[in-house]
Structure formats: C-alpha cells, structure tokens
Amino acid sequence: MSRRRKIYEGKAKILYEGPEPGTIIQYFKDDATAFNAQKKGTINGKGVINNRVSEHVMTQLGHIGIPTHFIRRLNMREQLVRQVEIVPIEVIVRNVAAGSLSKRLGIEEGTPLPHTLLEYCYKDDALGDPLIAEEHIACFNWASDEEMRDISGLAIRINDFMSGMFAGIGIKLVDFKLEFGRLWDGDYSRIILADEISPDGCRLWDIETGEKLDKDRFRRDLGGEVEAYQEVARRLGLLPEEGGNTVLDMAKHRKKTQN
C-alpha cells in the first residue's frame, strides 16, 4: 500500500491527498491551541468529536441548500471533502458580545447584540489573523464583491439555522468562525463552505447555567474540556446518553449553593 501524501498540517487538522482528483482527506487532531498558538495542549478525543459534530452540522446545512465541501465521513477521525481554493478570510459571526469583541469595545461579555454582527479577519498566522474591513478585502482583491455578497449571505443563513438547532438542545450560539473556498469548474468558480464547524470554532453556552461548552474552557484554564465537547455531541444525538456531565453538574451545584 502506497503512503498517502500530506498536503498541509495546521493547528487542529492534517490534510492528505484524496483518493480521487479534486478530493482531500481531512484528519482531525486532538491538539488544542489558543492565542495564535501561544498556548498549546491536548484535549483527549477532541478530534473524534469534532469530526462527528462537523459531519452532522455540514450534513444538516446541506439539507437546507448550503453548499459545503463535505462529502462523507471515512472513519472516527477522517472525512472526505472537496478540494477548494480557500478564500484567505475568516468570517466571525457574532450574536452575543464575548471574547475579543468584549475586550476591544469594552462591552460586558454576555451582552446580546442588537443584530447579528459579521467581522472579517485576514488568514495569516504570522500576523495573528488581524481584523480587517471589507475595504481591505476589495483593495487587496482577496475576494470579489460578488464573492463577498455570497459569503455574507451564506454566513447569515448558516447562523439562522445553527442558532435554532442549538437552541433546540439548550445551547446558546454566542459566536463562531467560518471559512469559505472557491470550488472551480473550468474557468468558473463558486463559493462554498469549507473547513469545519465544531466546538473548536464556536462559542457555545448552556442556556440554563451559562456554562461554556467549547474551547474557551481550554483558553481560560477552566478544565472539563473533554466533558464539555462530549456534552455538545450528546445533545446533538451523536453520543449515547450515559451518566452525568461533570461540567454541567458543577455549574448546577454552584447555582444551587448561590441561591
């Protein structure tokens, strides 16, 4: 058996050449990073859960007509995706003030925003993925006006769907990041959703307790990362319901003792 060719290794995933032209195998790692990789660690089983969660969300988005790069899950840690030319822009979709937005503008974390806010960052690890305006995107031709209309329109539709999906299982979708790619057909391309959607790139708070069920547990040294990721997968129906959840049990205990 020939050894497959590695195309790229990032902070959370490894990309390998796919079995057919125009395909890539996406491998999910357990590595965890924060603050532009200044903080590094491991969340055991994270790659397995992120693979399942991303598969589930991408599949559901496909059902409502959102074009994605996802083809199928191959095994516990890998999925087959379409090869795309990644647009060098991260789209941050915000429903509630948190993280860098709260720090930059002095808005108390947890404050609901008047309407969904889209922010853009230039994808460059060496520069720390700086915040940019649409004028930067146009000036440096990172995406055309038509592509940006497609990207912003898809981001709003994705947010509407995911907000409802998570609210239905008792989770508030605070904010999340998206990446898009160009899928080429000859001389023409179209914008489709790429990368992943998982607790790594979403802020997810329990609606009842406000407890964080995402990578902020790693960023802020809160502990319970494994349990938090498992709880998200459980509520989505991707893991069996068994036993209690350490993160939520602790939160409920604190709430009772404070009352």
Side-chain angles (χ1 to χ4, degrees):
M1 180 180 291
S2 61
R3 184 177 178 84
R4 60 187 181 180
R5 185 171 70 90
K6 182 194 291 187
I7 297 173
Y8 171 80
E9 181 166 0
K11 291 174 282 191
K13 293 185 293 297
I14 304 174
L15 303 182
Y16 295 98
E17 191 173 57
E20 302 164 1
T23 64
I24 286 176
I25 294 172
Q26 191 166 248
Y27 175 93
F28 289 77
K29 304 193 293 185
D30 284 349
D31 295 0
T33 64
F35 314 116
N36 197 32
Q38 292 178 27
K39 179 178 182 179
K40 298 180 181 180
T42 301
I43 301 175
N44 292 328
K46 174 176 80 75
V48 174
I49 290 177
N50 283 354
N51 187 20
R52 292 295 307 276
V53 171
S54 193
E55 172 201 15
H56 177 78
V57 177
M58 291 280 187
T59 299
Q60 295 302 312
L61 290 171
H63 290 163
I64 64 165
I66 301 291
T68 81
H69 75 160
F70 178 78
I71 299 174
R72 65 179 181 275
R73 183 167 60 87
L74 298 174
N75 52 51
M76 290 179 68
R77 287 187 179 270
E78 295 179 330
Q79 54 184 234
L80 187 67
V81 300
R82 295 174 181 85
Q83 186 170 13
V84 298
E85 177 191 341
I86 292 291
V87 177
I89 299 163
E90 281 188 358
V91 182
I92 314 299
V93 186
R94 299 184 181 275
N95 300 307
V96 176
S100 62
L101 179 69
S102 291
K103 292 178 182 177
R104 276 186 279 120
L105 302 182
I107 302 172
E108 184 178 358
E109 188 161 86
T111 303
L113 300 177
H115 60 78
T116 300
L117 175 65
L118 298 185
E119 293 185 325
Y120 305 103
C121 295
Y122 178 53
K123 277 178 59 61
D124 189 310
D125 288 342
L127 298 176
D129 298 333
L131 191 68
I132 55 174
E134 289 192 60
E135 285 79 4
H136 293 100
I137 298 169
C139 180
F140 297 109
N141 199 31
W142 291 324
S144 68
D145 289 344
E146 182 180 357
E147 287 176 329
M148 286 307 298
R149 283 194 296 272
D150 289 342
I151 285 171
S152 59
L154 287 170
I156 293 297
R157 287 181 61 197
I158 292 166
N159 181 57
D160 288 345
F161 175 81
M162 286 178 51
S163 293
M165 179 187 73
F166 280 116
I169 55 174
I171 294 175
K172 180 186 295 184
L173 180 60
V174 173
D175 58 39
F176 61 103
K177 80 171 184 69
L178 295 171
E179 293 188 22
F180 294 90
R182 299 180 182 96
L183 183 63
W184 287 92
D185 182 7
D187 294 333
Y188 299 93
S189 69
R190 63 187 178 107
I191 292 293
I192 67 173
L193 179 64
D195 195 41
E196 67 175 290
I197 296 179
S198 72
D200 263 12
C202 302
R203 277 194 174 87
L204 304 169
W205 296 353
D206 181 78
I207 287 177
E208 181 185 343
T209 66
E211 204 67 17
K212 294 172 174 58
L213 302 173
D214 54 68
K215 202 167 75 171
D216 267 353
R217 303 203 69 84
F218 171 76
R219 290 187 189 97
R220 304 182 185 191
D221 297 316
L222 299 175
E225 297 95 340
V226 174
E227 293 84 358
Y229 278 58
Q230 288 176 345
E231 178 67 11
V232 173
R234 247 186 231 110
R235 294 198 197 183
L236 288 170
L238 306 176
L239 285 180
E241 296 283 347
E242 53 182 29
N245 180 271
T246 305
V247 175
L248 295 182
D249 286 349
M250 288 170 58
K252 289 173 182 175
H253 176 71
R254 284 200 302 270
K255 191 173 182 180
K256 285 180 181 177
T257 56
Q258 289 168 357
N259 290 339

